[in-house]
Amino acid sequence: MQPPSAYDGSVATSLDDLPIRDDLRGQSPYGAPQKHVRVQLNVNENTHPVPQDVADDIVASIRQALTTVNRYPDREFTELRESLAAYLGHGLTAEQLWAANGSNEVLQQLLQAFGGPGRSVLGFPPTYSMHSILAAGTGTTWIPAERDDEFRISPETVVAAIREHQPDIVFLCGPNNPTGTPLSIDTIRAAYDATDGIVMVDEAYAEFMPVDAPSAVTLLPGRERLVVSRTMSKAFAFAGARVGYMAADPAVVDAVRLVRLPYHLSALTQAAAVAALRHAPEMLAMVDDIKEQRDRMVTELAAMGYRTYETWSNFVLFGGVADPNAAFEALLEQDVIVRDLGIPNHLRVSAGTEEETTAFLEAMRRVAVDQPPVRVAA
């Protein structure tokens, strides 16, 4: 006789009924609400479509790749790594680049190689929530440390946290998600000098930084334990293609080879990414418009009475929201979705097109009438 199951109408099995790892019990998977509304500004996507001529070239490249899709792809994705090295510049070579299915997989591979049971990773919440989730998934102990005022991290603060906790890995996020806060090059340098472990700087939003702001990539020479993670999801409007990458010493790249799955990047992904990188100037032309809308939101939200913060990303965190969940629902009723991150009195909104930004700001003004902004600590 077959045991009862959810499929025959009996009680459904839950995670608690399964022999799941003890350290994963009670955990929640990553995820933002996926609702189909007119103005979607909740997951920091680039809401601008890929230019048609670029899309045509990408489609042609994928079509060509399909003619040999019966064979395994280039395991070392050499052409893509060469293209990424050329895009980043700073004298980087293909041997210093590595890519995977989104920057999340890059970070997971890094934790598999340098973290794991008995090892720890230091982070500074609020930060990208996948950092701690990836740590849990790889059995790496997550150690949260305090930030300074306005969500910043000074060199003194990062050094003090490293000396206190002695982590095997340090995760820094600059610009920081979900706050948009800049990360100073001096803080990165101080963190590296304070530890013998890996220092990873998550630069998912680097293209939205001021043009004269130095990237952590400039610190790579002579620092074999420094890793800089990037993505094509944001500035390149390539979120659906799932392409992330890192720049590091070739020895670090060799380390992640030990844990990567065979042929982890499909031939179609490689072809699409190489084609997109051929059009980097055109793909990045939309960045200035996004930054303009971001700065517009900072200015207009502040004029409404909300607390805004300096942001070098493609989104704005704003405080002074009396009831974030109620405000979220009120915006949703107006066909606008933002992100409630669980930070008291705060919401986050992605910078969209001019039309999307206008729709959000008009909706937010109506919310402010029913729920006047409240004062939050500076």
Side-chain angles (χ1 to χ4, degrees), residues 191-244:
Y192 188 89
D193 292 342
T195 180
D196 293 328
I198 295 292
V199 175
M200 188 286 300
V201 182
D202 187 338
E203 284 195 341
Y205 301 92
E207 285 88 353
F208 300 98
M209 294 163 56
V211 293
D212 58 348
S215 161
V217 170
T218 62
L219 296 179
L220 284 172
R223 293 180 174 87
E224 71 280 357
R225 294 175 288 102
L226 180 63
V227 178
V228 184
S229 169
R230 292 281 192 98
T231 183
M232 293 182 69
S233 293
K234 311 302 180 181
F236 272 82
F238 233 48
R242 309 307 301 133
V243 182

Side-chain angles (χ1 to χ4, degrees), residues 54-72:
V54 180
D56 290 342
D57 190 22
I58 292 171
V59 169
S61 297
I62 292 174
R63 184 181 298 112
Q64 179 61 37
L66 279 169
T67 64
T68 57
V69 80
N70 58 305
R71 301 291 188 179
Y72 284 116

Side-chain angles (χ1 to χ4, degrees), residues 16-342:
D16 290 336
D17 299 317
L18 299 175
I20 193 171
R21 280 169 30 195
D22 289 340
D23 60 328
L24 293 182
R25 291 191 183 279
Q27 300 289 332
S28 298
Y30 174 85
Q34 289 188 305
K35 297 181 182 292
H36 296 290
V37 298
R38 184 172 62 87
V39 181
Q40 300 182 43
L41 301 175
N42 62 325
V43 288
N44 302 342
E45 296 163 320
N46 183 336
T47 65
H48 296 65
V50 174
Q52 188 59 52
D53 62 323
V54 180
D56 290 342
D57 190 22
I58 292 171
V59 169
S61 297
I62 292 174
R63 184 181 298 112
Q64 179 61 37
L66 279 169
T67 64
T68 57
V69 80
N70 58 305
R71 301 291 188 179
Y72 284 116
D74 176 6
R75 186 176 56 237
E76 297 299 313
F77 43 95
T78 306
E79 186 179 7
L80 175 56
R81 291 164 69 196
E82 290 172 345
S83 298
L84 289 168
Y87 168 68
L88 282 181
H90 297 289
L92 291 171
T93 64
E95 290 72 27
Q96 293 174 271
L97 271 295
W98 187 254
N101 294 282
S103 58
N104 291 328
E105 187 177 41
V106 171
L107 300 185
Q108 177 175 271
Q109 292 172 346
L110 199 67
L111 285 166
Q112 287 175 310
F114 296 100
R119 296 195 173 197
S120 62
V121 55
L122 176 71
F124 292 82
T127 192
Y128 181 36
S129 59
M130 275 305 299
H131 289 174
S132 59
I133 293 172
L134 289 169
T138 57
T140 311
T141 300
W142 171 256
I143 302 174
E146 294 290 329
R147 289 177 173 265
D148 300 317
D149 292 342
E150 305 232 340
F151 304 111
R152 297 183 180 276
I153 308 173
S154 69
E156 295 78 14
T157 293
V158 77
V159 169
I162 290 170
R163 287 176 177 169
E164 178 183 356
H165 299 290
Q166 297 294 307
D168 298 284
I169 306 169
V170 178
F171 272 10
L172 299 171
C173 193
N176 186 52
N177 178 12
T179 65
T181 314
L183 178 68
S184 96
I185 208 81
D186 292 335
T187 296
I188 301 168
R189 188 183 291 113
Y192 188 89
D193 292 342
T195 180
D196 293 328
I198 295 292
V199 175
M200 188 286 300
V201 182
D202 187 338
E203 284 195 341
Y205 301 92
E207 285 88 353
F208 300 98
M209 294 163 56
V211 293
D212 58 348
S215 161
V217 170
T218 62
L219 296 179
L220 284 172
R223 293 180 174 87
E224 71 280 357
R225 294 175 288 102
L226 180 63
V227 178
V228 184
S229 169
R230 292 281 192 98
T231 183
M232 293 182 69
S233 293
K234 311 302 180 181
F236 272 82
F238 233 48
R242 309 307 301 133
V243 182
Y245 58 100
M246 73 176 188
D249 189 272
V252 174
V253 173
D254 285 341
V256 298
R257 277 194 180 91
L258 299 174
V259 299
R260 62 93 177 263
L261 295 174
Y263 310 107
H264 70 286
L265 273 181
S266 78
L268 307 185
T269 298
Q270 293 181 41
V274 169
L277 287 163
R278 280 200 298 267
H279 297 272
E282 190 172 354
M283 294 287 273
L284 296 176
M286 63 190 87
V287 168
D288 286 342
D289 180 58
I290 294 169
K291 290 163 68 173
E292 181 180 345
Q293 299 309 316
R294 173 199 68 192
D295 296 342
R296 176 189 169 199
M297 288 196 296
V298 169
T299 299
E300 296 195 27
L301 284 167
M304 293 179 210
Y306 293 102
R307 172 80 166 86
T308 56
Y309 302 86
E310 182 179 14
T311 174
W312 283 8
S313 59
N314 70 337
F315 57 83
V316 176
L317 179 76
F318 60 101
V321 184
D323 185 337
N325 183 66
F328 174 89
E329 294 295 339
L331 289 169
L332 201 57
E333 289 177 2
Q334 299 178 68
D335 231 14
V336 177
I337 187 169
V338 297
R339 190 75 178 269
D340 181 358
L341 298 153

